[in-house]
Amino acid sequence: LSTNGYIVDNIINAADIEIKTPEPLNHIYNSDVEVEIKATEPQPEDPDKSGEAAYAGLKSLKWQVIKNGRIYNTEFGQAVTMGDGINESETKVTQEKTIKKNAKDRETEISDKITVSAKLNNSNNVAIYVRVEDYAGNISEKVLPIKIDITAPTIELTFDNNNVENVKYYQKPRTATVKITERSENFDPENVEMHIKNSNLVKVSDWKTIENA
């Protein structure tokens, strides 16, 4: 409804928020991530069929890329804490932007595109946070968590018996240890290929995970 130049917006949330990203391989991105953000103000009812249903118009859209934060629920949706239960020195806003709109324009949609930097956000704990406010003071918040891993795993091969004779002969059995350094949550033994000659004479054990090794 509109009276004396004032607008009454009875819709509680400021906007419907969409955060779109490409589908990652195995749920993990290995390069920069292209993100599309769109906020659309809900269309109010027009009870008197006048064609002039009241809406306040969108005031601002703010987005942040946050590394190593923690997602929590709010009365407006979801947001991200800075260091709650996580080392605060490792929690940071790596990218951010605020888009503001004029009240007189009463715009019902704001959109933007982001390139999430893989270099700045090389972590399994990355959040794209969006906050939208309209000119009636309504707020909407939304978070999309993503994982980015651009660090190649390293492989180390060691043996427990290096007493060789005539270049290639050993009098006792040798145990080879293959050590792969990778984020434990990203490691999949099914993706490891080992090519062993005379494999019928070799016994291969199961993988063991050592945290922070």
Side-chain angles (χ1 to χ4, degrees):
L1 301 177
S2 178
T3 58
N4 297 325
Y6 293 94
I7 297 174
V8 179
D9 186 340
N10 61 358
I11 297 179
I12 296 176
N13 61 314
D16 297 322
I17 301 173
E18 291 182 82
I19 308 175
K20 294 183 178 181
T21 60
E23 188 69 26
L25 179 65
N26 297 323
H27 309 291
I28 303 171
Y29 295 97
N30 60 6
S31 61
D32 292 348
V33 184
E34 301 299 327
V35 183
E36 295 183 3
I37 294 174
K38 184 170 74 171
T40 306
E41 186 170 27
Q43 294 302 304
E45 296 180 0
D46 182 12
D48 58 5
K49 308 301 180 182
S50 65
E52 297 182 357
Y55 60 91
L58 297 180
K59 181 180 181 180
S60 64
L61 181 150
K62 177 182 180 179
W63 60 258
Q64 294 179 318
V65 180
I66 302 173
K67 180 181 177 182
N68 295 335
R70 177 167 295 184
I71 300 172
Y72 68 100
N73 294 324
T74 73
E75 61 179 309
F76 309 117
Q78 287 185 318
V80 183
T81 63
M82 300 300 292
D84 182 15
I86 298 175
N87 187 340
E88 291 192 18
S89 65
E90 298 179 357
T91 303
K92 61 182 67 177
V93 176
T94 59
Q95 299 171 251
E96 63 181 328
K97 180 179 178 181
T98 299
I99 302 171
K100 297 182 178 180
K101 296 295 182 178
N102 293 324
K104 64 179 181 179
D105 295 331
R106 294 176 63 193
E107 294 192 32
T108 59
E109 183 179 302
I110 304 177
S111 61
D112 200 17
K113 293 183 178 181
I114 310 171
T115 299
V116 176
S117 168
K119 183 177 180 180
L120 295 177
N121 300 283
N122 186 19
S123 170
N124 272 27
N125 187 8
V126 179
I128 302 168
Y129 165 66
V130 181
R131 183 183 190 274
V132 180
E133 183 177 357
D134 68 14
Y135 273 97
N138 300 314
I139 295 172
S140 294
E141 295 177 305
K142 189 170 185 178
V143 177
L144 177 68
I146 62 173
K147 299 178 181 181
I148 300 177
D149 188 353
I150 59 172
T151 304
T154 60
I155 303 173
E156 181 182 352
L157 178 63
T158 58
F159 294 89
D160 67 344
N161 175 14
N162 294 309
N163 297 320
V164 62
E165 294 183 8
N166 296 325
V167 182
K168 62 180 180 179
Y169 296 104
Y170 297 86
Q171 292 184 344
K172 296 180 180 180
R174 302 180 83 198
T175 298
T177 300
V178 179
K179 179 182 177 182
I180 299 176
T181 302
E182 167 70 304
R183 294 180 197 166
S184 59
E185 61 266 45
N186 295 353
F187 177 72
D188 183 353
E190 296 297 324
N191 292 331
V192 179
E193 294 184 12
M194 291 192 291
H195 301 277
I196 306 171
K197 291 184 178 180
N198 300 321
S199 58
N200 59 312
L201 302 177
V202 177
K203 181 180 179 180
V204 180
S205 65
D206 294 332
W207 291 99
K208 294 181 181 179
T209 300
I210 303 174
E211 298 290 346
N212 301 317

